[in-house]
Amino acid sequence: MTLNLTKPICFFDLETTGVNITTDRVVEIAVLKVHPNGKEESHRWLVNPEMPIPKEVTAIHGISDADVADKPTFKEIAKEVHNLIKDSDLGGFNSNRFDIPLLAEEMLRADLDFDMKNRLTIDVQTIFHKMEQRTLSAAYKFYCDKNLEDAHSAEADTMATYEVLKAQIAKYDDIENDTKFLAEFSSRKKFADFAGFIVFNKKGEECFSFGKHKGKLVTEILENEPGYFGWLLNADFPLYTKKVLTAIKLRSFNNKLR
């Protein structure tokens, strides 16, 4: 089984200091880049998060403060990672809800303009949950008949994710070997940002998904309550969410000038 690709796809996995997209940091990143001709290239970095790794988190992925003390920060490797993935679609396990949002935060903190407009994303976990309702280790056993050794190692998880996707395509007749189909099938609710604070309504318009303005159009609120925009930018929201809000505001302003 080979993936039917029109452009490269990068399967990636992050190990982090925790699960808060806004405040936690990457300690390990592994990327498996698969090219349309079938060529595969694997990359892995240990990363100094510039903050302590909680002991309970180290117990999960096995990476301690000592392991990353002399490693580069994410900002130091950001350009290398960005150059590797910038021409590619992205794939992962729970990547749409965690790995991609957190990667975007790290890229923006490193002053790199990380944008998803021209990328497709395939979340293998979503396909798995829609079809079987299990975990990555169970998926690997179920689809590939292999035991996942070194679970929560980014490199092992990345390779397992890639193998599971190929096995899913082979197993299910109604899953197409096409990145656009896989991206749509593995997506959940359509978000304008990664974290889900801004969602699209049935007309494709951006709406807030939280707080007193839940369900209301972003453009209307930003126009009628200009102070709310300032509050959002200064509050503890992900950088990518703030970037999306700023783009909506600028788009609305430019439309008025036409």
Side-chain angles (χ1 to χ4, degrees):
M1 165 62 65
T2 57
L3 291 182
N4 183 17
L5 303 175
T6 57
K7 64 189 291 189
I9 182 169
C10 286
F11 294 91
F12 78 103
D13 187 67
L14 305 178
E15 301 301 337
T16 64
T17 59
V19 296
N20 187 304
I21 292 170
T22 305
T23 60
D24 280 306
R25 301 291 187 268
V26 170
V27 298
E28 182 185 19
I29 177 171
V31 179
L32 177 66
K33 187 170 186 176
V34 183
H35 296 265
N37 63 4
K39 177 187 173 183
E40 301 172 12
E41 52 178 302
S42 183
H43 303 263
R44 172 179 177 264
W45 297 265
L46 282 174
V47 182
N48 186 331
E50 301 181 276
M51 64 183 292
I53 304 172
K55 291 181 180 179
E56 60 270 22
V57 177
T58 295
I60 295 173
H61 55 49
I63 301 172
S64 66
D65 292 334
D67 294 326
V68 296
D70 61 346
K71 301 302 179 183
T73 64
F74 190 89
K75 189 167 187 177
E76 292 172 324
I77 67 166
K79 286 185 179 179
E80 184 179 1
V81 175
H82 185 266
N83 287 337
L84 177 66
I85 69 175
K86 66 182 181 181
D87 64 340
S88 305
D89 294 326
L90 297 178
F93 198 85
N94 194 34
S95 49
N96 284 354
R97 292 191 293 176
F98 181 72
D99 298 87
I100 291 176
L102 201 147
L103 179 64
E105 291 299 291
E106 289 281 32
M107 287 291 185
L108 291 172
R109 277 191 288 267
D111 299 321
L112 288 174
D113 187 16
F114 186 78
D115 205 316
M116 294 294 295
K117 288 182 180 178
N118 297 315
R119 302 178 195 265
L120 297 174
T121 64
I122 299 174
D123 193 328
V124 174
Q125 186 194 60
T126 303
I127 296 175
F128 184 37
H129 284 179
K130 283 186 175 182
M131 307 305 289
E132 302 296 343
Q133 308 292 318
R134 303 276 176 87
T135 62
L136 176 58
S137 295
Y140 198 50
K141 181 66 177 176
F142 182 86
Y143 290 109
C144 306
D145 196 25
K146 299 177 183 178
N147 293 319
L148 180 53
E149 306 294 338
D150 299 322
H152 297 296
S153 158
E155 194 165 23
D157 287 356
T158 298
M159 182 60 71
T161 298
Y162 175 47
E163 290 187 39
V164 166
L165 176 61
K166 292 190 293 181
Q168 286 173 330
I169 296 169
K171 181 176 177 64
Y172 303 113
D173 291 338
D174 51 349
I175 292 184
E176 300 175 18
N177 188 354
D178 175 81
T179 48
K180 185 176 180 180
F181 171 87
L182 292 167
E184 291 176 353
F185 189 81
S186 64
S187 67
R188 296 177 186 267
K189 193 170 184 178
K190 294 291 186 181
F191 299 133
D193 64 339
F194 293 128
F197 291 109
I198 306 169
V199 298
F200 291 107
N201 63 16
K202 292 181 180 179
K203 296 181 179 179
E205 301 165 316
E206 298 98 340
C207 297
F208 288 109
S209 67
F210 67 97
K212 64 180 182 179
H213 295 308
K214 184 176 181 179
K216 297 179 182 179
L217 293 177
V218 173
T219 51
E220 290 183 1
I221 299 304
L222 295 187
E223 181 177 354
N224 297 330
E225 296 186 34
Y228 193 63
F229 177 71
W231 175 80
L232 289 168
L233 292 187
N234 290 315
D236 190 22
F237 287 98
L239 295 175
Y240 199 87
T241 299
K242 295 177 182 180
K243 175 185 173 181
V244 170
L245 285 168
T246 301
I248 294 171
K249 187 174 179 65
L250 288 173
R251 185 187 68 205
S252 179
F253 179 75
N254 289 333
N255 287 339
K256 288 181 179 181
L257 297 178
R258 292 176 182 174

